[in-house]
């Protein structure tokens, strides 16, 4: 009787397995599958788009079981899995605060292999729904098709903010938002139209930020939380090209200073403390409350000959939004003598707890530095540490916080060393990050054939609803000039 | 819009002539692109990147005119084969002619006018002589003519109205700008039906008019005008002109050349023209010959206007260099001496690769630095060809930069398969295997580079295979070891550094010496001569002998005797003859140009050159 029961149970299990499509008696692999994109043991927000993937093996058939909460389903493919959106989002909702268990069976050389199962950890906290980025080839001086785009992170929908199909021959860069607000945005146009486009709600303004005093356009922006001010660096940027095999391009400033644009009266204000001749000041960023302006600073050097001697410290100066004035002292927050390296792209978290920055051997354009890594400054106790969970052997540089301060996106070249891709990671209240994941795409091969970088990824809380034709009309109009004032 | 079945006496002659003319046209187009203009086709093929992936297809299909763009690109791939491209072009153009003929026959059945049907096809051939007009435009025109043929063949007014609506929408989406050609055909068709009806009334024939009602015609026109606007409003944000013409008719999206509206309007114009030509009258055979004569004359002058044989020459040099056919470059130069810096730089590269630069540099008219290297320019041809020079010299990063710049300045904003291939090679040489693998994977999705990419894939991560590779291994050995910033203006210093690092780098040495000679920098030339010893030269190249003799002549009254250099007697004798003419004749330049135009001395005395190009500030975007 016992034998009969055992046979019956085994037959039942076999039947269940065969009905669900799960192969019976596979060879038990004791390693995780190599997937692209790598979604093993990553942490995702509850609202992310399906993480379609392929297995990096000679797979003839692939069976994948997803289980989370009360939801479970099995998907099949040859060597890749496309997850239906509805099932995926239900799975994530059911698994929020917990994890999704993923089991993979792959038929390779005629035999089924069951890889070690893995988990996808699902955080309840959603990530901002949109990601804005610039798509452009990681080239030298010229560009072909390029533009600013926004991607709905809950799906695969990408839409144009503005591109050079609309503005042939032009370049657009440095898109920036006030605390993830899609209604407060700016970006620069370069090429035959040189201007800064400022979007504040329904209003679109074209600005000429070059004044006779600065002689240069405003470049790297950061919004004051009030929306009344935008800090900029004014940079004279040049580039040179290496000849040895491990390096390609060096981008550097030959001049840079800080200004703050008062958007209400289109006036650039600055202080002699951040508008100096003896040092380069760049990458301004306001603290969460707007009371402090952080920036990077380095001693000037003979460029490009001394390009690798230029190392930036993280500095700060107070800023009074009521009067539009700077403090009377610059503080060094992290000194280059302390790090022996160079700081770039400081960004404060919206909750005011952290400041994330990029650390590289020298210079400020860390995108071209393979050694560039992300670091975290705890603004409460001033402790500094690398975010090892997300750093790679290739450049990990520009980054942006989600409005909830727990998610961040960063630009990484880890895939192939050249093309920048957006990666997302979770950061807890103690500054501990999780394994990052790449922006999901419908086709797992997408990044293989994509010849564009995703530059300056910025998380945005909603869809940017600029009217392209209205924007075009404003772009075609006369740019409004700005005035300049140094406040002692 | 069926015409009446009218018999003409010379119908057989006309039909035979039509068949013969079609064959002649096919043969002429094929021969022209196969034997006189083939390098243009190769050039177009290598400056596009057509992938066989689903995403590539989907991306095209999301755009108005996308199917034409896709098919045009698909067919352009076959330009890779010498005869396939001309065959494809000839077939497509013949298709245009045949569809035009069928449409015109519906207006006027008199076969005497068949030669007019060749005009759009001839026009199509002419615009294809300009590399900025892609084949997708021809495919689009073919699609529009096909739609026009359907429309003009529909008798029933209501059916014609409905088919007009559908055809306009479908043609716009699959063929793009040529939908305007269809609109022209529709308007011409309706107008001619209207006039034909009136004519019939006048001749008291039964009223068979089936012209669209006014509101129907208005709806068709409004729909045609509105579709691009709606697409622009809701789907593809782009400039107004581009919304109508679409991007598959001319590579530079910022301009709409006159030729495009002309070719789009041509079928409608021809319909109107043949309407007014006699329909029932028997025409003499000479009418056909007269038309043929006019057509040939138009074709001839059209070719003179559109065909760019200077560009064909550049593309020939380029293709030979790209395929490393150095000896063929020199043979070609004997027949077609370079007419500009692009060709000259390719020839000079071939001279260096065959170790003849020192002997034969001045055998061809030189133009200073700009004919030696190709300074960076924000367009795609000079960087693409300049990349070849830098690659052969072993300046891998610079070659990579030039290739990247080239593909990023391709006028239609697409990528170039040639640049992607070069980027795969430069990254492979540089040991950047991940990104090299990316490029190779992309090339594996092409028809003609798949095999090469598969073979090259085997080299990834295999240092030994690369180091022993005849091309990549050699380039690794030549590549600079010490880092410096590359600027084409600094080529002198760069070449000197490369020779210091690799004293047997004869190619760098040849370029360095040529640089000095072409810049008339005799001091540095003389100072560099001792390097020949380490290069193991067994004799002094002719151009160097000429320069040495000149320098010695500056310092002594008897240069023939006072030299430690082993100058050949032949060079000494030539210098004596040159000096005699130079010092005694008023018309020395003319005589010397004839007798000594291929010498350094003549270049030194009479060639006006720009020493080195001005430095350009490289901005970052």
């Amino acid at each position: 009787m016992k034998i009969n029961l055992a046979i019956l149970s085994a037959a039942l299990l076999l039947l269940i397995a065969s009905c669900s499509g799960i192969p019976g008696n596979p060879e038990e692999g004791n390693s995780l599958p190599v997937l692209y994109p790598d979604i093993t043991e990553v942490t995702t927000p509850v609202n992310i788009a399906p993480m379609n993937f392929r297995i990096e093996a000679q797979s003839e058939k692939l069976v994948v079981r997803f289980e989370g909460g009360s939801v479970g389903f099995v998907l099949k493919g040859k060597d890749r899995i496309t997850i239906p959106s509805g099932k995926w989002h239900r799975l994530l909702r059911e698994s929020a605060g917990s994890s999704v268990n993923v089991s993979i069976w792959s038929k390779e050389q005629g035999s089924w292999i069951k890889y070690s199962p893995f988990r996808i950890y699902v955080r309840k906290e959603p990530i901002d729904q949109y990601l804005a980025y610039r798509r452009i080839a990681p080239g030298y001086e010229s560009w072909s098709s390029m533009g600013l785009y926004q991607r709905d992170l809950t799906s695969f929908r990408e839409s144009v903010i503005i591109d050079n199909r609309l503005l042939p021959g032009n370049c657009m860069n440095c898109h920036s938002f006030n605390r993830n607000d899609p209604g407060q945005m700016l970006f620069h146009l370069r090429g035959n139209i040189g201007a800064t486009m400022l979007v504040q709600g329904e209003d679109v303004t074209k600005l000429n930020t070059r004044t006779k005093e600065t002689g240069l356009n405003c470049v790297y922006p950061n919004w004051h939380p009030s929306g009344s001010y935008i800090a900029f660096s004014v940079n004279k940027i040049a580039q040179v090209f290496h000849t040895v095999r491990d390096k390609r391009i060096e981008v550097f400033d030959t001049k840079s200073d800080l200004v703050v644009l008062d958007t209400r009266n289109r006036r650039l204000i600055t202080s002699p403390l951040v508008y100096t001749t003896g040092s380069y000041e760049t990458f301004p960023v306001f603290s969460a409350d707007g009371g402090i302006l952080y920036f990077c600073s380095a001693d000037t050097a003979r460029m490009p000959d001394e390009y690798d001697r230029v190392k930036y410290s993280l500095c700060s100066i107070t800023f009074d939004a009521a009067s539009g004035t700077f403090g009377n002292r610059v503080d060094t927050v992290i000194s280059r003598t302390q790090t022996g390296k160079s700081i770039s792209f400081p960004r404060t978290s919206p909750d005011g707890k952290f400041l994330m920055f990029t650390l590289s051997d020298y210079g400020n354009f860390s995108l071209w530095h393979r050694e560039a890594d992300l670091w975290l400054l705890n603004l409460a106790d001033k402790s500094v540490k690398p975010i090892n969970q997300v750093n790679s052997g290739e450049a990990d540089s520009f980054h942006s916080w989600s409005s909830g301060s727990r998610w961040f996106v960063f630009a990484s070249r880890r895939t192939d060393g050249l093309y920048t891709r957006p990666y997302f990671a979770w950061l807890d209240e103690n500054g501990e990050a999780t394994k990052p994941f790449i922006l999901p795409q419908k086709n797992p091969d997408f990044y293989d054939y994509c010849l564009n970088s995703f530059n300056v990824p910025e998380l945005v809380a909603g869809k940017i609803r600029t009217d392209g034709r209205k924007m075009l009309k404003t772009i075609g109009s006369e740019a409004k000039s700005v005035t300049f004032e140094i406040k002692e | 819009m069926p015409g009446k079945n009218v018999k003409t006496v010379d119908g057989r002659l006309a039909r035979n002539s039509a068949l013969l003319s079609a064959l002649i046209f096919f043969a002429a187009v094929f021969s022209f692109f196969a034997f006189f203009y083939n390098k243009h086709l190769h050039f177009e093929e290598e400056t596009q990147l057509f992938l066989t992936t689903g995403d590539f297809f989907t991306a095209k299909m999301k755009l108005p005119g996308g199917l034409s763009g896709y098919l045009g690109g698909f067919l352009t791939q076959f330009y890779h084969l010498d005869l396939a491209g001309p065959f494809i072009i000839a077939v497509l153009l013949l298709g245009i002619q045949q569809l035009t003929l069928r449409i015109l026959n519906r207006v006027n059945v008199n076969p005497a006018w068949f030669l007019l049907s060749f005009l759009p096809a001839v026009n199509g051939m002419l615009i294809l002589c300009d590399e900025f007009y892609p084949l997708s435009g021809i495919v689009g025109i073919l699609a529009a003519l096909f739609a026009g043929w359907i429309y003009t063949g529909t008798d029933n007014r209501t059916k014609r109205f409905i088919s007009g609506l559908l055809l306009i929408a479908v043609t716009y989406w699959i063929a793009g700008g040529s939908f305007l050609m269809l609109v022209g055909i529709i308007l011409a068709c309706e107008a001619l039906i209207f006039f034909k009806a009136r004519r019939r009334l006048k001749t008291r024939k039964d009223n068979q008019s089936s012209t669209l009602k006014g509101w129907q015609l208005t709806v068709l026109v409004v729909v045609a005008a509105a579709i691009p606007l709606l697409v622009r409003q809701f789907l593809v944000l782009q400039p107004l002109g581009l919304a109508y013409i679409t991007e598959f008719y001319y590579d530079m999206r910022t301009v709409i050349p006159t030729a495009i509206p002309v070719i789009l309007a041509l079928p409608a114009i021809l319909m109107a023209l043949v309407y007014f030509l006699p329909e029932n009258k028997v025409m003499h055979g000479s009418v056909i010959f007269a038309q043929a004569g006019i057509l040939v004359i138009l074709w001839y002058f059209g070719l003179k206007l559109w065909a760019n044989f200077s560009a064909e020459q550049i593309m020939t040099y380029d293709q030979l260099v790209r395929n490393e056919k150095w000896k063929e470059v020199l043979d070609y130069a004997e027949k077609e001496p370079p007419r500009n810096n692009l060709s000259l730089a390719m020839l000079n590269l071939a001279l260096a690769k065959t170790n003849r630069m020192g002997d034969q540099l001045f055998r061809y008219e030189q133009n200073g630095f700009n004919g030696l290297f190709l300074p960076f320019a924000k367009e795609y041809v000079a960087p693409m060809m300049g990349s070849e020079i830098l690659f052969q010299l072993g300046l891998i990063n610079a070659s990579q930069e030039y290739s990247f710049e080239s593909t990023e300045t391709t006028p239609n904003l697409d990528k170039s398969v040639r640049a992607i291939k070069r980027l795969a090679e430069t990254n492979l040489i540089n040991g950047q295997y991940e990104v090299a693998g990316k490029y190779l994977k992309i090339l594996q999705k092409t028809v003609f580079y798949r095999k090469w990419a598969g073979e090259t894939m085997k080299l990834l991560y295999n240092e030994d295979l690369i180091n022993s590779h005849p091309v990549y291994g050699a380039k690794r050995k030549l590549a600079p070891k010490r880092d410096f910033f590359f600027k084409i203006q600094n080529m002198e210093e760069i070449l000197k550094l490369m020779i210091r690092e690799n004293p047997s780098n004869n190619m760098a040495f040849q370029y360095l010496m040529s640089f000095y000679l072409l810049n008339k920098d005799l001091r540095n030339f003389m100072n560099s001569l001792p390097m020949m010893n380490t290069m193991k030269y067994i004799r002094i190249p002719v151009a160097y002998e000429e320069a040495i003799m000149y320098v010695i002549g500056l310092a002594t009254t008897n240069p023939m005797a006072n030299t430690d250099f082993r100058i050949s007697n032949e060079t000494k004798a030539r210098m004596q003859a040159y000096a005699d003419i130079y010092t005694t004749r008023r018309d020395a330049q003319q005589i010397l140009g004839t007798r000594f135009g291929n010498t350094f001395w003549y270049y030194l005395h009479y060639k006006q050159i720009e020493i080195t190009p001005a430095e350009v500030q490289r901005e970052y975007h």
Side-chain angles (χ1 to χ4, degrees), chain A residues 54 56 134 136-146 160-169 171 173 190 237-252 304-305 307 365 367-368 370 394 413-419 421 443 445-452 455 467-469 472, chain B residues 49 51 53 55 63 229 232-234 236-239 242 247 253-254 376-379 395-398 400-402 404-405 407-410 413-415 420 423 427-436 438-439 441-443 445 463 476 479-487 494 616-621:
Chain A
R54 67 169 188 251
E56 301 287 56
R134 180 172 73 150
I136 185 172
Y140 297 79
E141 186 169 359
S142 310
W143 63 87
S144 56
S145 54
M146 63 100 80
V160 179
I161 301 171
I162 193 159
D163 67 1
N164 66 351
R165 174 183 292 277
L166 186 65
L167 297 170
C171 167
N173 59 19
R190 302 288 184 242
I237 306 172
Q239 61 175 339
V240 288
F241 310 119
H242 291 280
T243 41
V244 289
R245 55 193 281 181
D246 295 329
K247 293 183 174 182
R248 289 174 191 260
I249 295 178
E250 208 60 59
V251 181
F252 54 87
D305 296 345
Y307 73 100
F365 213 83
L367 187 67
W368 288 103
R370 302 180 74 172
E394 297 291 346
R413 291 188 160 177
R414 67 190 60 194
T415 316
D416 51 41
L418 179 60
Y419 289 84
R421 308 295 184 216
N443 184 350
D445 296 342
F446 173 87
Y447 292 112
D448 293 342
Y449 300 106
C450 177
L451 287 166
N452 283 331
N455 283 357
D467 181 334
R469 274 147 298 279
L472 194 59
Chain B
L49 178 67
L51 301 182
T53 62
D55 283 354
L63 297 169
L229 295 178
R232 182 172 182 255
Q233 178 75 27
F234 297 109
V236 185
L237 193 57
Q238 56 188 341
L242 199 60
E247 66 200 61
R253 296 177 187 176
T254 47
F376 173 77
K378 278 193 173 180
E379 50 83 38
L395 290 163
I396 301 305
N397 284 18
Q400 180 167 277
E401 177 207 339
Y402 268 48
F404 217 112
E405 295 288 16
T407 196
E408 286 302 306
T409 45
T410 305
L413 307 188
D414 278 342
K415 306 297 178 195
I420 298 295
L423 292 175
N427 281 290
L428 185 74
I429 293 166
N430 276 347
Q432 310 290 336
Y433 298 126
E434 289 83 4
V435 73
K438 175 190 178 72
Y439 293 130
K441 195 166 181 179
I442 288 171
L443 292 173
K445 295 292 180 187
E463 291 288 310
R476 275 191 171 180
K481 312 289 182 291
R482 193 174 75 80
D483 193 20
F484 54 87
F485 295 134
F486 176 83
K487 273 194 281 189
I494 292 167
V616 180
Q617 178 71 31
R618 308 294 296 274
E619 293 176 348
Y620 195 80
H621 50 84

Side-chain angles (χ1 to χ4, degrees), chain A residues 62-199:
Chain A
L62 199 61
V63 177
V64 181
R65 185 174 63 202
F66 295 89
E67 293 169 305
S70 61
V71 177
F73 54 86
V74 174
L75 297 174
K76 296 175 188 174
K78 182 178 178 289
D79 60 352
R80 63 199 54 220
I81 291 295
T82 302
I83 310 168
S85 180
K87 280 187 177 180
W88 172 258
H89 284 294
R90 202 161 54 248
L91 178 70
L92 292 193
R93 280 196 302 273
E94 286 287 324
S95 312
S98 177
S99 62
V100 172
N101 293 312
V102 186
S103 304
I104 293 185
W105 292 261
S106 170
K107 191 174 185 183
E108 295 165 20
Q109 296 178 328
S111 306
W112 283 99
I113 298 169
K114 182 176 188 290
Y115 286 96
S116 298
F118 61 87
R119 283 184 286 185
I120 297 172
Y121 302 95
V122 185
R123 304 296 314 194
K124 286 178 187 165
E125 296 83 350
I127 195 167
D128 286 346
Q129 193 182 343
Y130 282 85
L131 182 72
Y133 44 78
R134 180 172 73 150
R135 281 179 64 165
I136 185 172
Y140 297 79
E141 186 169 359
S142 310
W143 63 87
S144 56
S145 54
M146 63 100 80
L148 304 181
Y149 302 85
Q150 59 183 330
R151 163 73 187 271
D152 181 350
L153 294 179
T154 65
S155 71
F156 300 113
R157 280 188 296 274
E158 183 190 69
S159 54
V160 179
I161 301 171
I162 193 159
D163 67 1
N164 66 351
R165 174 183 292 277
L166 186 65
L167 297 170
N170 279 277
C171 167
M172 46 230 64
N173 59 19
C174 292
H175 50 283
S176 169
F177 303 85
N178 182 10
R179 298 295 183 264
N180 313 75
D181 180 358
Q184 295 187 75
M185 174 181 75
L186 72 82
F187 61 88
H188 302 311
L189 290 171
R190 302 288 184 242
N192 48 23
I193 306 168
T196 296
M197 303 303 297
L198 183 62
V199 179

Side-chain angles (χ1 to χ4, degrees), chain A residues 218-434:
Chain A
C218 291
V219 183
Y220 303 119
N222 186 262
W223 291 70
H224 190 271
S226 67
S228 301
Y229 298 99
I230 303 168
F232 286 101
S233 53
V234 283
N235 309 63
K236 189 169 188 182
I237 306 172
Q239 61 175 339
V240 288
F241 310 119
H242 291 280
T243 41
V244 289
R245 55 193 281 181
D246 295 329
K247 293 183 174 182
R248 289 174 191 260
I249 295 178
E250 208 60 59
V251 181
F252 54 87
D253 291 343
T254 54
K255 181 179 188 317
S256 65
D257 293 296
L258 299 188
V259 295
V260 171
L261 172 69
D262 187 335
T263 59
R264 297 161 298 186
N265 54 20
R266 296 197 301 275
R267 188 173 49 146
L268 294 179
I269 47 181
T270 190
S271 154
L273 294 172
V274 294
Y275 201 91
T276 64
T277 51
S279 56
Y280 302 126
E281 295 92 4
T282 190
F283 296 135
V285 59
F286 285 106
S287 58
D289 63 4
I292 300 172
L293 185 66
Y294 294 97
F295 59 96
C296 298
S297 176
D299 293 337
T300 55
R302 198 162 42 83
M303 302 299 272
D305 296 345
E306 297 177 337
Y307 73 100
D308 55 356
R309 292 184 190 169
V310 177
K311 297 185 179 184
Y312 286 81
S313 302
L314 180 68
C315 299
S316 69
I317 187 169
T318 56
F319 182 76
D320 179 21
S323 59
T325 53
F326 294 83
N328 54 14
R329 189 182 83 227
V330 167
D331 293 321
T332 301
V333 182
I334 305 173
S335 166
R336 59 182 171 273
T337 55
Q338 177 189 343
T339 61
K341 291 175 181 276
S342 188
I343 292 176
S344 56
F345 301 130
R347 303 295 294 267
T348 49
S349 63
D351 64 5
K353 288 186 177 175
F354 299 110
L355 184 149
M356 196 181 291
F357 59 90
T358 307
L359 196 68
S360 57
D361 286 350
Y362 58 85
N364 71 44
F365 213 83
S366 43
L367 187 67
W368 288 103
H369 287 238
R370 302 180 74 172
E371 78 285 357
D373 279 334
L374 296 181
W375 284 59
L376 197 66
L377 166 66
N378 185 324
L379 289 170
D381 62 15
K382 307 298 181 199
S383 63
V384 176
K385 63 176 181 180
I387 314 176
N388 289 327
Q389 299 90 334
V390 304
N391 289 326
S392 71
E394 297 291 346
D396 301 297
S397 57
F398 189 89
H399 42 272
S400 161
W401 294 91
S402 185
S403 50
S405 296
R406 294 282 74 88
W407 291 102
F408 66 97
V409 61
F410 62 100
S412 176
R413 291 188 160 177
R414 67 190 60 194
T415 316
D416 51 41
L418 179 60
Y419 289 84
T420 312
R421 308 295 184 216
Y423 280 78
F424 303 85
W426 164 265
L427 191 87
D428 69 17
E429 291 183 347
N430 301 317
E432 294 301 320
T434 58

Side-chain angles (χ1 to χ4, degrees), chain A residues 189-215:
Chain A
L189 290 171
R190 302 288 184 242
N192 48 23
I193 306 168
T196 296
M197 303 303 297
L198 183 62
V199 179
Q200 292 170 298
E202 295 292 309
D203 296 330
V204 182
T205 312
K206 180 182 177 186
L207 294 175
N208 173 13
T209 58
R210 183 190 295 248
T211 65
K212 69 176 190 299
E213 291 87 356
T214 59

